[in-house]
Amino acid sequence: PLRRLTRGPGILVSLSATRDFQTLFYSSVRLGNADIFSRDMRTGSETTLDAGPPGEKWYPTVSPSGRQLAFGMRTRGGERATRPIFIANPLDGTWRTLGDDCGGRPRQWVDERLLIIERFGRLNTIAVIDTDTGEQRELLESAERSVTNARLSPDRLWVAFEASRPG
């Protein structure tokens, strides 16, 4: 049967579940700023993620095992916004910076090391970033269209995405 999984006012984005569907992560502004929430699907208990630098935390995506959580922040300064990505351990609260400006936001883990990110530029592109080295490689790009919202099939053999003309 259907059951409500979240509570409170405000926007809620980027739902991401562990492979066993026992833990759900998402961003919400219901406490005033963008925070990442973790919900235990067995008990219904919810906590906020305290890992990472101060500021609004968006776009959480959990690795299949649940041992790593990638999230992004958007910082302003200078001529353009930077997009750092952070990797946290939701179990012990430790975290590290993957890159001070990864050029995009996390979308979905391929496995425990590789992460799909949506990058921003003249046209949006999809890349894979190695969370150990920070090295990026193109996964999807087009000279005429922006590609966004990449999602992997459960067997990790296919990728679905949106492709649209700018504007």
Side-chain angles (χ1 to χ4, degrees), residues 34 37 39-41 47 61 72 94-95 104 113 121 130 132-133 166:
F37 289 82
R39 181 177 185 83
D40 184 313
M41 300 302 289
T47 58
T61 183
T94 58
W95 61 279
R113 183 173 178 173
D130 184 311
D132 286 344
T133 66

Side-chain angles (χ1 to χ4, degrees), residues 102-158:
C102 295
R105 61 181 169 220
R107 293 299 295 174
Q108 187 177 12
W109 289 82
V110 176
D111 53 27
E112 293 298 313
R113 183 173 178 173
L114 301 176
L115 178 66
I116 293 177
I117 64 172
E118 183 176 347
R119 296 194 305 193
F120 303 97
R122 186 183 72 76
L123 296 174
N124 293 356
T125 63
I126 304 297
V128 174
I129 188 168
D130 184 311
T131 60
D132 286 344
T133 66
E135 181 181 331
Q136 294 186 27
R137 64 180 164 81
E138 293 292 332
L139 180 63
L140 299 167
E141 65 180 329
S142 170
E144 300 88 29
R145 297 178 182 267
S146 283
V147 289
T148 58
N149 298 324
R151 291 287 185 233
L152 294 173
S153 61
D155 62 9
R156 303 299 202 247
L157 296 177
W158 296 90

Side-chain angles (χ1 to χ4, degrees), residues 5 7-8 15 17 26 39 47-49 58 89 98 104 106 109 113-114 117 131 138 148 154 159 166-167:
L5 298 180
R7 301 268 182 245
L15 283 81
Y26 62 92
R39 181 177 185 83
T47 58
T48 57
L49 181 77
W58 293 98
N89 179 329
L98 178 58
W109 289 82
R113 183 173 178 173
L114 301 176
I117 64 172
T131 60
E138 293 292 332
T148 58
V159 62

Side-chain angles (χ1 to χ4, degrees), residues 72-89:
M73 296 177 76
R74 186 173 177 197
T75 59
R76 297 192 189 273
E79 293 183 24
R80 66 178 191 87
T82 59
R83 296 183 183 275
I85 293 177
F86 303 92
I87 307 293
N89 179 329

